[in-house]
Amino acid sequence: MKSPLAPPTRLLLGPGPSPVDPSVLEALGKPVLGHLDPAFIAIMDETSDRLRQVFRTRNPLTFPVSGTGSAGMETALVNILEPGDRIVIGVNGVFGARMADAARRAGAKVTMVDAPWGQPIEPDALASAVRTDKPKAVALVHAETSTGVRSSVDLVRREIGPAPLLIVDSVTGLGGIPLEVDKWGIDVCFSGTQKCLSVPPGLAPITFSPRAAQAVADRKTPVQSWYLDVTMLRKYWEEGEGGRAYHHTAPISMIYGLWEGLRLVLEEGLEDRWIRHQEVGEFLQAELKEMGFKLFAASGHRLPQLTSVTLPKGVSDDLRGRLLNDFDIEIGGGLGDVAGKMWRVGLMGFGAKKENVIRLVQSIRALI
Ligand code: PLP
């Protein structure tokens, strides 16, 4: 018989997953309950309630989708869009392009509004496409993990006006930088557990505004995905006549983990957590600049929780392998055109600590 599983202990400073707080790991190991057990339903309700606080929303329809951040993206798009619907999507990196791909697969007519990698989405450019297309929805990525750029969702809503539904990917934003679902007029916002919430990958928190939920209820065609159909999922997540309706077996242990991860966020205080990410991210960015790395994201739009840098002369991308093997530190490389030329360093959730920056910087210095 093989010995028990013993993965190495790494310091996760890549674009995700992020380091997990020991109390979340403990929660994952608690006894499994049945998914319709009233004791579990109480945990589900608390989880949704905590998600509302972290999303800054009063939306009743707020819950974690079973699946990673991409499942959240699909849930948003396939529920809102029907074949032939128009959507305008801001694309300034890998994840905006993925939304366009998923929207096309849902049969929508997609207009992409591109911005150069490293730049935020221009609210004016989205507004101009909205005037021409009169779309049902507009979508953009709040925190583009492929480039380290933050786009201004509040300004986007102001510029596009109140009509289109606004869909926001905040997979990397939630719990790390300011996000105000209600105040900014976001209709559907989805995230993932493995970034600034510091819970392992496996759930995708999502929230629908009342008018987005109504748009789903008013569909003329069934949602193309059975598994992600919110008209059915909400009968499990919301109390209805006769209680809760079984749809699929909830990933019990992951919901325990999220419950605990959100408890930690609220115990720290959401605003204090934003400040912590900001301070630690700026500290890392200053250190990397001093070592000759160039910050890739436009000034004023840099994410503190995900720093993208281009490599100075004499530093090879191979160094990432040595950081992992010799120092047990994971950082990310570039995606697409910048593969081999860029590093992406995540300081997310439990990982956003000055001591981690110091350990990383000392390790890089030892290798170059
Ligand atoms: N959107 C953004 C901005 C992301 O960073 C990611 C993952 O890195 C995703 C969507 C997809 O999430 P997942 O890989 O958890 O499916």
Side-chain angles (χ1 to χ4, degrees):
M1 203 54 187
K2 288 235 177 197
S3 43
L5 186 70
T9 302
R10 309 284 203 207
L11 176 57
L12 296 175
L13 301 183
S18 63
V20 177
D21 189 287
S23 76
V24 172
L25 292 175
E26 232 172 78
L28 292 167
K30 300 281 183 198
V32 171
L33 287 166
H35 61 110
L36 291 169
D37 184 323
F40 182 65
I41 286 171
I43 293 169
M44 285 164 57
D45 287 347
E46 281 167 7
T47 304
S48 288
D49 196 49
R50 288 173 190 183
L51 279 178
R52 277 181 210 103
Q53 294 180 57
V54 174
F55 271 126
R56 299 279 191 135
T57 184
R58 299 167 63 143
N59 293 338
L61 188 54
T62 302
F63 64 98
V65 177
S66 306
T68 63
S70 307
M73 175 189 74
E74 294 244 30
T75 303
L77 295 170
V78 302
N79 280 278
I80 294 297
L81 298 172
E82 293 192 67
D85 282 345
R86 287 188 184 277
I87 183 166
V88 169
I89 303 184
V91 178
N92 61 342
V94 166
F95 295 101
R98 281 191 182 183
M99 279 205 282
D101 186 5
R104 268 186 222 106
R105 289 169 191 236
K109 293 184 182 141
V110 178
T111 299
M112 294 205 294
V113 173
D114 293 298
W117 280 40
Q119 296 293 328
I121 297 295
E122 272 297 328
D124 283 358
L126 280 181
S128 156
V130 165
R131 280 192 295 276
T132 313
D133 284 12
K134 307 210 171 13
K136 179 177 193 179
V138 169
L140 79 155
V141 180
H142 178 211
E144 215 352 304
T145 326
S146 59
T147 60
V149 167
R150 178 181 54 79
S151 285
S152 302
V153 176
D154 49 341
L155 298 186
V156 165
R157 170 53 92 194
R158 212 173 65 194
E159 293 302 317
I160 64 172
L165 294 168
L166 181 58
I167 300 174
V168 173
D169 170 339
S170 196
V171 169
T172 290
L174 184 71
I177 51 171
L179 169 70
E180 301 277 356
V181 166
D182 286 358
K183 217 190 273 173
W184 295 353
I186 300 174
D187 290 291
V188 186
C189 189
F190 60 90
S191 189
T193 42
Q194 79 276 24
K195 310 273 190 185
C196 297
L197 298 181
S198 266
V199 174
L203 291 174
I206 197 164
T207 185
F208 286 76
S209 69
R211 72 173 188 155
Q214 193 58 48
V216 180
D218 291 344
R219 290 176 63 104
K220 294 185 185 66
T221 54
V223 176
Q224 80 177 53
S225 164
W226 183 89
Y227 191 62
L228 302 176
D229 182 344
V230 164
T231 58
M232 293 192 284
L233 289 174
R234 69 182 304 172
K235 293 182 186 152
Y236 179 59
W237 281 94
E238 292 179 340
E239 184 85 60
E241 252 177 68
R244 312 278 175 144
Y246 163 70
H247 177 264
H248 65 270
T249 310
I252 309 294
S253 308
M254 274 307 299
I255 290 169
Y256 292 169
L258 178 58
W259 183 97
E260 175 61 13
L262 293 168
R263 189 188 70 75
L264 294 173
V265 173
L266 296 170
E267 184 178 72
E268 178 177 4
L270 196 50
E271 272 128 6
D272 285 347
R273 196 176 175 92
W274 295 339
I275 292 168
R276 172 165 63 85
H277 280 86
Q278 191 61 40
E279 287 175 353
V280 178
E282 282 174 6
F283 178 50
L284 170 74
Q285 289 168 8
E287 290 287 322
L288 289 175
K289 257 165 83 175
E290 204 177 297
M291 290 166 80
F293 290 88
K294 255 200 160 140
L295 299 177
F296 183 76
S299 172
H301 299 276
R302 289 179 187 138
L303 294 172
Q305 71 273 44
L306 195 284
T307 295
S308 55
V309 284
T310 50
L311 310 185
K313 268 211 171 76
V315 174
S316 143
D317 191 31
D318 299 342
L319 223 82
R320 282 192 300 119
R322 291 177 59 205
L323 274 174
L324 189 69
N325 289 327
D326 302 352
F327 292 93
D328 278 316
I329 300 176
E330 177 178 278
I331 60 169
L335 297 176
D337 288 350
V338 286
K341 297 180 207 148
M342 184 199 272
W343 284 355
R344 292 177 304 143
V345 182
L347 292 167
M348 299 177 183
F350 189 56
K353 292 180 184 161
K354 277 201 174 164
E355 69 205 55
N356 289 342
V357 176
I358 292 166
R359 185 171 149 194
L360 173 66
V361 167
Q362 283 175 346
S363 305
I364 297 173
R365 282 193 196 281
L367 290 172
I368 57 179

